[in-house]
Amino acid sequence: MKAKKHFFISQDNFLDPDLIRDIDNYVNDSHKDPIWRTSHWWKKPIRRVTPPVAILNLPDKFHFAIIEKLKKIKEVSWKGNEKPFQSQYYLYPPGGYIAWHDDTKYKWASTLYVNPVWDPNWGGIHLHEDLKGLGIRGEAPAFNKCIINSGGVPHSVSVLAPDAPLRRVISTFGPLTPYSEEARKKWEDWKRKRSVGAVYFEGSYDNQ
């Protein structure tokens, strides 16, 4: 089987700003409705001890507009009998984050930033392992920037500072991919390389 080619893309001015405004209005109008959930059910290695991240599935009219834009990017693809998962609106609180993971079960994953402004001092930086071997790189949130990575690219979101506003993003995940023992091994090798899972005790470190 041909090895999957990994990719990481950052694209500015992704959506029509009026569409983002309509999405924000929908989200703000939904704040009292019982349709929100939280990151409480994320797997522990990803959730760790983050304060709950609020999550809202977006209606089809918004989701379809987003995937229409995504499918114009040549690296992003899905077959006729496949479909991306419903786009979700995330609200990260101060202290919130996502631990390192690789989304290897998805073909790709996208994150669209919708805060009007973002001071890097607020944290919430999207970190990823550079595909050209340049180490860990960071993407600061910027209004209407969309980042897309293939499954298998290690990434995380750094902790939001205490004075940060809610970090607003729209996430869309591609179709599921079959389990790959090779991908699992690469992920485990990467975790060892970066000491992911290290535990501090009595003046020294160990790995979980």
Side-chain angles (χ1 to χ4, degrees), residues 4 102 104 152 178-188:
K4 180 172 66 175
D102 69 349
T104 192
Y179 172 81
S180 167
E181 179 62 23
E182 179 183 3
R184 186 200 65 79
K185 184 176 184 303
K186 285 182 178 180
W187 170 237
E188 294 299 328

Side-chain angles (χ1 to χ4, degrees), residues 87-113:
S87 298
Q88 302 168 351
Y89 198 104
Y90 286 15
L91 293 172
Y92 291 75
Y97 64 96
I98 293 182
W100 283 93
H101 59 290
D102 69 349
D103 282 337
T104 192
K105 69 177 184 178
Y106 302 109
K107 280 193 170 184
W108 49 265
S110 71
T111 301
L112 176 67
Y113 301 114

Side-chain angles (χ1 to χ4, degrees), residues 64-180:
F64 292 152
I66 292 167
I67 63 173
E68 280 298 311
K69 292 289 292 186
L70 284 169
K71 72 180 183 181
K72 293 179 180 178
I73 299 172
K74 67 177 182 179
E75 291 87 352
V76 177
S77 65
W78 58 89
K79 298 176 182 178
N81 61 341
E82 299 175 330
K83 62 179 181 178
F85 285 81
Q86 198 75 12
S87 298
Q88 302 168 351
Y89 198 104
Y90 286 15
L91 293 172
Y92 291 75
Y97 64 96
I98 293 182
W100 283 93
H101 59 290
D102 69 349
D103 282 337
T104 192
K105 69 177 184 178
Y106 302 109
K107 280 193 170 184
W108 49 265
S110 71
T111 301
L112 176 67
Y113 301 114
V114 295
N115 285 86
V117 295
W118 191 265
D119 183 340
N121 285 312
W122 292 335
I125 307 299
H126 182 101
L127 303 172
H128 70 279
E129 183 72 34
D130 184 77
L131 296 177
K132 296 180 180 179
L134 299 177
I136 292 176
R137 313 289 281 184
E139 289 272 352
F143 177 71
N144 209 6
K145 176 195 286 187
C146 187
I147 55 175
I148 309 109
N149 59 265
S150 64
V153 177
H155 60 283
S156 70
V157 174
S158 69
V159 179
L160 271 69
D163 63 337
L166 292 172
R167 180 181 184 268
R168 297 170 177 265
V169 303
I170 298 171
S171 294
T172 307
F173 296 92
L176 294 173
T177 58
Y179 172 81
S180 167

